[in-house]
Amino acid sequence: MFTRLTFLFLLTSSTLAWGGRSWFEGRYESAHPTAEARQKALDQVRKHKDEVVIRDDLDRKLPTFHKRLEKKVTTGETFCQNCHLPLPHSKKLRSRAFLNMHSRYIACATCHLRPEGVRFDYRWLDYASWRPVRPDHPFRTGLDIDNSIPIDGNLKIAPFFSGEPAIPPKDGPFAEKILRRWREGTPAQRAGLKARLHAPLEEEGPECVACHTSDRPMLDLQALGAEAEQVDLIQFHRIPSFFSRYRGDDEKLKIIGILR
Ligand code: HEC
Ligand code: HEC
Ligand code: HEC
């Protein structure tokens, strides 16, 4: 009993001393990106400087119409969207619309932060209060759209570690620090920053069927509040299973195949 209490106390005090730093921040602090990753980042920073724009700049550059449009798609934006555009997927014509749609209710990190040997819990995170929540009707599939909650992008399925969000909030001290360094940095410093930030991240997210399957799915949909019927609809959805038939990136399949 005594040892258990001591252990608990140690755990609590170390969490406090730790200052609520998210799992991701810890990884960022200890990241040692390879020379190759740094070089790649430098090339990217030089080449793509207009593709990734800090939101402040975007506000100044774009007229109101676009700004309004931007607001509409980014309600509940994430830490990542401080730099990445509201619709971050553009490269692959085939999947980009689906992935951008999923970003409304799935955190970037759920797909892009999947470190080996680490088990995250996936829960609904309220980006406004930065708390885990259990909404009554979180999923839209199979329901009247009005009955569902996360459509405004404020609630997203996010990774948790030891009961805390594994990712930093979009506007906390960590985000401020990173954005300041990004704004004030030389290209070489920005490249170093990009490489460290992305060291724990995956370039590509999981395949569609990682979630759209009943065979060891990545997300426990029922625990996330889906009704049994919705679990089936999501896991056996035709579109994502159609995607798993593609072999190369440029392969074209006939859409009629979706009926098979
Ligand atoms: C400080 C700015 C910044 C932040 C914050 C940021 N990124 Fe990036 N990200 C970049 C830049 C710059 C690139 C290079 C891509 C380009 O220029 O086209 C990039 C590229 C990527 C890529 C493409 C693969 C690669 O590594 O080049 C992915 C995926 C990505 N980011 C995901 C994320 C996710 C997920 C988050 C949040 C956890 C995030 N990024 C946060 C600046 C940022
Ligand atoms: C449902 C999973 C999923 C979510 C959520 C997701 N991504 Fe991705 N992302 C992918 C996959 C898969 C790829 C690989 C490219 C593809 O298949 O189109 C990718 C590629 C990218 C790329 C590479 C460039 C490109 O144009 O495709 C960037 C940058 C990126 N994601 C950033 C983000 C950011 C920022 C967020 C959060 C706003 C996010 N992603 C949310 C799955 C996801
Ligand atoms: C990280 C898990 C995850 C990944 C990866 C993923 N999805 Fe989904 N997808 C979901 C969830 C959860 C829903 C249910 C959303 C809802 O009902 O509110 C969903 C819903 C959908 C829907 C139904 C949308 C609707 O409004 O009824 C389609 C279509 C879909 N996904 C296609 C895809 C495709 C195509 C890919 C790959 C490019 C993909 N998904 C990757 C988790 C994922």
Side-chain angles (χ1 to χ4, degrees):
M1 181 64 182
F2 176 73
T3 28
R4 216 184 252 176
L5 273 178
T6 319
F7 179 61
L8 257 179
F9 171 74
L10 281 176
L11 241 172
T12 327
S13 51
S14 66
T15 316
L16 288 177
W18 199 46
R21 191 173 72 165
S22 68
W23 188 93
F24 181 84
E25 286 160 66
R27 270 299 161 100
Y28 166 80
E29 299 299 347
S30 62
H32 294 290
T34 59
E36 198 189 334
R38 284 177 182 274
Q39 186 55 49
K40 176 186 156 195
L42 189 57
D43 294 344
Q44 286 177 316
V45 165
R46 287 199 176 123
K47 199 163 89 206
H48 292 269
K49 56 177 177 299
D50 290 323
E51 229 176 85
V52 178
V53 201
I54 302 258
R55 259 198 345 267
D56 286 1
D57 300 356
L58 204 64
D59 284 356
R60 259 181 270 122
K61 273 188 212 141
L62 297 178
T64 332
F65 172 77
H66 288 93
K67 212 178 128 184
R68 225 182 273 140
L69 192 70
E70 191 231 3
K71 275 263 144 41
K72 212 172 127 205
V73 257
T74 49
T75 355
E77 57 210 306
T78 60
F79 165 72
C80 313
Q81 282 158 307
N82 279 309
C83 293
H84 287 278
L85 292 171
L87 305 175
H89 304 98
S90 61
K91 300 241 161 77
K92 288 195 194 162
L93 206 59
R94 187 198 291 158
S95 43
R96 63 186 189 187
F98 288 107
L99 296 177
N100 288 334
M101 165 188 94
H102 282 66
S103 307
R104 302 295 293 283
Y105 48 84
I106 298 182
C108 313
T110 294
C111 287
H112 287 283
L113 182 66
R114 294 170 298 126
E116 247 175 76
V118 181
R119 269 194 77 95
F120 292 134
D121 255 352
Y122 295 97
R123 301 189 196 166
W124 288 103
L125 173 63
D126 181 348
Y127 275 69
S129 65
W130 206 246
R131 288 208 180 91
V133 285
R134 265 217 71 153
D136 284 341
H137 297 290
F139 292 93
R140 293 162 307 140
T141 310
L143 278 181
D144 191 330
I145 221 90
D146 294 340
N147 271 338
S148 66
I149 298 171
I151 198 75
D152 73 354
N154 248 345
L155 303 185
K156 294 181 205 271
I157 299 170
F160 280 71
F161 188 78
S162 298
E164 298 293 330
I167 47 175
K170 62 184 184 199
D171 48 10
F174 181 72
E176 272 171 29
K177 177 177 81 178
I178 296 296
L179 296 186
R180 196 174 49 244
R181 287 190 188 164
W182 179 259
R183 255 187 228 114
E184 293 167 2
T186 62
Q189 286 166 330
R190 285 183 174 201
L193 190 66
K194 191 264 161 182
R196 278 178 78 187
L197 269 178
H198 294 70
L201 300 176
E202 308 260 326
E203 277 197 48
E204 305 219 334
E207 289 187 37
C208 314
V209 290
C211 298
H212 294 281
T213 180
S214 57
D215 178 21
R216 288 175 294 131
M218 196 183 134
L219 302 175
D220 183 344
L221 294 169
Q222 207 142 18
L224 286 162
E227 285 152 30
E229 188 195 344
Q230 290 180 313
V231 173
D232 279 356
L233 284 168
I234 296 167
Q235 293 185 336
F236 301 108
H237 203 291
R238 277 166 181 273
I239 295 175
S241 44
F242 180 72
F243 264 66
S244 64
R245 294 202 219 150
Y246 285 110
R247 293 294 168 253
D249 270 356
D250 5 294
E251 187 186 2
K252 296 204 168 52
L253 293 180
K254 290 223 168 68
I255 217 70
I256 191 150
I258 224 166
L259 300 173
R260 277 181 221 131

